[in-house]
Amino acid sequence: MVRHDILYLLAAHPEENVSGERISQQLNVTRAAIWKQIKILKEEGFDIEAQTKNGYRLLKTPLSLNEWVLKQVLSTHSLGCVIDFVEELSSTNDRAKELARQGAVHGQIVLAGRQSSGRGRLQRQWESPKGGLWMSVVLRPNLSLADASKITLAASVAIVDSLKELFQLPIGIKWPNDLVFKGQKIAGILGEVVGEWNAVQTLILGIGINVNFPRERLNNTFTGTTLYEILRYEVDLNLLAAGVLKHLEKELMSLEKKEFEELRLKWSERAIGLGEGVRILRGDQVIEGVFKGISIDGALLLETEGGERSFSAGEVQLRSKQGTYF
Ligand code: BT5
């Protein structure tokens, strides 16, 4: 794409202005065509100095998601190898599923500026206004069906580690896979198997992080927060996406080496509420006990009066004794 070639050229000369004539010769396009592309790049959020005499200089890349910028900051081998960015989608998971059925490769990602019908688990609504990181990754890992649930554990660890690395934020994991800051949910994960897992072994991993928008954009029926709310400035969504994918790739590689116990320990180190009294809601039933940890498959282990019991994420909900997030 000419637009991207112009960017490569400008990025290679950060300290100087590149003349329209030089770009025109090097890329074999007219100066009018270059001007048109520069205009589009500016609309996409690139800060480009344009002087009739001296030519062009790239001053700043956009903080919003942009395929070219993301490619520059990605450090992964396979995750993000193909990027599908759409300004608005119903759900990135739905689009990724569709692409997976059409043969998308392992690591292909789908990103949306906003989602009109973002989904949580059990068909719950996931609010996805502009400014968030709404991303799905097509995974065809070398793992069995039984190990699929471990991928969401790995994703939780990856999100915590990337937010710590980039912004020094202490994010905790609330079982099974909510990411919370001071009790308020900042990110969620939705893992979905495509077709018959045994036959095709494809998992769509949806990751949603509330980033560059204030808390008011979210419904007040739940306790949520955003990075903007915490940091009070907007961050580069491309850097964040690249950071999450880097940590996710690392965790997936260790999962494929069957390092399950390492993952369980890492998850536990980042979890909140371990050793505390919790309530498990299963339909009308309330079971009280102490949160002892998770099994190798991510099931919650609860110490009750009648002994230790384990619960899988699909069947129960967890609450602190006060009825709030712990
Ligand atoms: C989740 O579900 O936490 C999984 C969220 C996954 C979203 C990503 S975005 C990219 C991809 N495409 C999709 O369509 N989905 C994935 P769950 O644990 O069921 O939590 C859902 C609950 O969180 C809702 O019922 C609300 O109470 C609350 N909630 C909804 N939107 C929220 C938001 N933006 N931030 C914090 N909490 C929210």
Side-chain angles (χ1 to χ4, degrees):
M1 202 199 284
V2 177
R3 199 147 63 240
H4 288 181
D5 292 337
I6 295 175
L7 283 172
Y8 283 119
L9 202 59
L10 297 184
H13 302 90
E15 305 295 336
E16 54 176 304
N17 287 53
V18 185
S19 72
E21 196 181 328
R22 187 165 159 199
I23 303 175
S24 150
Q25 277 172 2
Q26 223 149 318
L27 302 180
N28 204 16
V29 284
T30 66
R31 291 178 67 168
I34 294 166
W35 174 239
K36 209 172 129 193
Q37 296 302 324
I38 294 275
K39 233 179 109 198
I40 299 175
L41 286 171
K42 284 184 166 186
E43 279 161 18
E44 285 180 8
F46 287 89
D47 188 359
I48 298 173
E49 183 183 75
Q51 291 176 346
T52 358
K53 266 197 190 152
N54 300 329
Y56 306 99
R57 185 143 70 115
L58 176 60
L59 301 177
K60 247 182 21 217
T61 56
L63 298 180
S64 54
L65 285 170
N66 179 281
E67 190 182 333
W68 186 86
V69 181
L70 179 53
K71 276 189 185 153
Q72 308 314 300
V73 292
L74 268 178
S75 61
T76 44
H77 295 289
S78 55
L79 301 191
C81 57
V82 182
I83 300 167
D84 185 43
F85 172 71
V86 185
E87 200 50 64
E88 178 165 341
L89 277 176
S90 52
S91 153
T92 55
N93 263 38
D94 291 348
R95 169 117 182 104
K97 270 191 205 166
E98 206 177 288
L99 292 171
R101 288 195 193 99
Q102 292 164 15
V105 292
H106 169 81
Q108 173 155 357
I109 59 170
V110 176
L111 294 157
R114 66 168 80 89
Q115 298 183 114
S116 52
S117 329
R119 284 184 290 113
R121 291 172 303 130
L122 310 168
Q123 301 304 320
R124 285 189 286 247
Q125 191 195 352
W126 180 259
E127 295 193 16
S128 322
K130 196 169 162 51
L133 180 65
W134 320 126
M135 170 165 79
S136 297
V137 192
V138 177
L139 296 174
R140 302 190 191 272
N142 193 9
L143 286 170
S144 71
L145 174 61
D147 296 329
S149 59
K150 299 184 178 75
I151 292 180
T152 53
L153 298 181
S156 300
V157 170
I159 295 173
V160 170
D161 288 0
S162 53
L163 290 175
K164 176 137 200 218
E165 184 176 75
L166 288 167
F167 313 112
Q168 292 75 51
L169 280 183
I171 303 290
I173 308 172
K174 177 185 169 282
W175 183 89
N177 51 24
D178 284 357
L179 287 309
V180 299
F181 177 77
K182 295 191 178 159
Q184 296 175 315
K185 186 159 168 176
I186 191 163
I189 299 163
L190 176 68
E192 295 181 298
V193 170
V194 177
E196 290 167 57
W197 170 270
N198 277 328
V200 283
Q201 301 203 332
T202 302
L203 183 102
I204 304 301
L205 184 68
I207 291 174
I209 308 181
N210 301 328
V211 190
N212 293 334
F213 57 87
R215 167 73 185 91
E216 299 91 81
R217 299 266 165 85
L218 299 174
N219 200 309
N220 57 15
T221 56
F222 51 81
T223 38
T225 192
T226 74
L227 266 184
Y228 179 77
E229 206 64 50
I230 302 166
L231 301 170
R232 287 285 153 196
Y233 60 83
E234 292 197 3
V235 306
D236 188 332
L237 279 168
N238 301 289
L239 277 179
L240 178 58
V244 171
L245 291 170
K246 178 183 86 174
H247 286 282
L248 183 62
E249 187 166 273
K250 185 172 133 218
E251 295 310 321
L252 287 177
M253 277 160 79
S254 94
L255 261 186
E256 286 183 332
K257 283 192 251 158
K258 307 262 182 282
E259 292 168 352
F260 300 147
E261 181 55 17
E262 282 86 335
L263 174 63
R264 198 185 66 81
L265 287 174
K266 272 192 200 170
W267 188 96
S268 307
E269 278 164 19
R270 291 155 182 76
I272 47 176
L274 276 177
E276 294 177 21
V278 294
R279 278 188 178 146
I280 295 283
L281 313 181
R282 183 199 255 167
D284 294 340
Q285 216 187 351
V286 180
I287 306 142
E288 292 204 349
V290 174
F291 181 14
K292 296 305 282 182
I294 55 164
S295 71
I296 208 93
D297 295 317
L300 179 138
L301 303 175
L302 191 75
E303 182 78 44
T304 68
E305 281 182 356
E308 190 173 285
R309 294 175 64 179
S310 90
F311 298 90
S312 76
E315 60 169 349
V316 295
Q317 279 190 304
L318 180 66
R319 286 282 174 272
S320 73
K321 285 199 171 157
Q322 294 73 37
T324 53
Y325 282 122
F326 47 72

